[in-house]
Amino acid sequence: GINAEYGDFEEVEYEDEEDEVFAAKCKNIPKTLTPYGNAKTMNMNSLVLTNIQNSNYFKYQLYELHTYHQVIEEITRKVKHLEPWEKGSRKTAGQTGMCGGVRGVGAGGVVSSAYCLLYKLFTLKLTRNQVNSMINHKHSYVRGLAFLYLRCGDEVHPTPQYVLGLAGPVS
């Protein structure tokens, strides 16, 4: 169950051997995930981050969301893709190489709701149980944002083995 006052999760009893193996793998993983690199930027590209912080969506709508569950609900309602920029909002004419077209780092545009919500999750400082819950969520974009969260901001072991150990069997 959830302790609403503190947002902590109680211990879970596991029903089968596979779940017990998963619990054993997670035993040494800290309850709170610690960011690595730059704790203020979540190691995001500076242009993406600036556009997130200046977006009306982040400043006004996401500012009103204060809990993990509110943000998850917003993800299920708002996110339509996991790209950093909204389709057609970037001006890439004249750019070449890695700055053109698909990389998402050359010229700005309208930052996506997914990346605004990713940064919002970062500001909430998710626990291991919350990330695990996202990884096993039925909504594919919630799962995708969980993996982006681990990729961008998890200090412990952002390796494929760690992420798969944290996720357990993903359905």
Side-chain angles (χ1 to χ4, degrees):
I2 300 172
N3 178 333
E5 183 178 353
Y6 299 104
D8 292 335
F9 290 78
E10 297 172 6
E11 289 296 316
V12 176
E13 290 189 29
Y14 295 100
E15 296 179 10
D16 61 27
E17 188 176 314
E18 187 174 282
D19 286 338
E20 288 178 17
V21 170
F22 169 67
K25 285 182 185 177
C26 291
K27 190 170 97 177
N28 294 325
I29 299 172
K31 182 176 180 180
T32 303
L33 300 174
T34 306
Y36 76 93
N38 189 324
K40 291 183 181 178
T41 68
M42 196 175 162
N43 306 306
M44 284 190 180
N45 171 279
S46 61
L47 185 59
V48 173
L49 181 62
T50 299
N51 279 301
I52 290 170
Q53 293 170 335
N54 291 329
S55 77
N56 287 336
Y57 178 59
F58 183 78
K59 289 193 299 189
Y60 301 111
Q61 290 176 279
L62 295 184
Y63 180 78
E64 298 298 321
L65 305 181
H66 302 289
T67 70
Y68 164 79
H69 295 289
Q70 290 173 324
V71 175
I72 296 302
E73 179 62 30
E74 182 74 0
I75 292 168
T76 62
R77 286 189 289 116
K78 194 80 170 171
V79 175
K80 305 295 182 225
H81 62 83
L82 296 177
E83 296 291 326
W85 306 107
E86 291 298 342
K87 271 191 170 178
S89 70
R90 295 184 57 236
K91 306 290 185 242
T92 58
Q95 294 182 0
T96 60
M98 292 180 66
C99 290
V102 297
R103 293 287 297 173
V105 293
V110 176
V111 71
S112 71
S113 59
Y115 269 68
C116 288
L117 285 156
L118 176 63
Y119 192 71
K120 179 65 178 186
L121 289 168
F122 177 69
T123 66
L124 294 176
K125 300 187 184 339
L126 300 181
T127 66
R128 174 174 45 98
N129 285 343
Q130 288 170 328
V131 174
N132 186 49
S133 176
M134 287 178 67
I135 288 170
N136 291 294
H137 197 276
K138 65 182 178 182
H139 195 279
S140 61
Y141 293 130
V142 173
R143 292 192 306 266
L145 283 171
F147 287 113
L148 284 172
Y149 183 90
L150 288 172
R151 171 65 180 91
C152 292
D154 182 17
E155 174 186 50
V156 184
H157 298 292
T159 63
Q161 295 82 2
Y162 166 72
V163 171
L164 292 174
L166 180 64
V170 177
S171 51

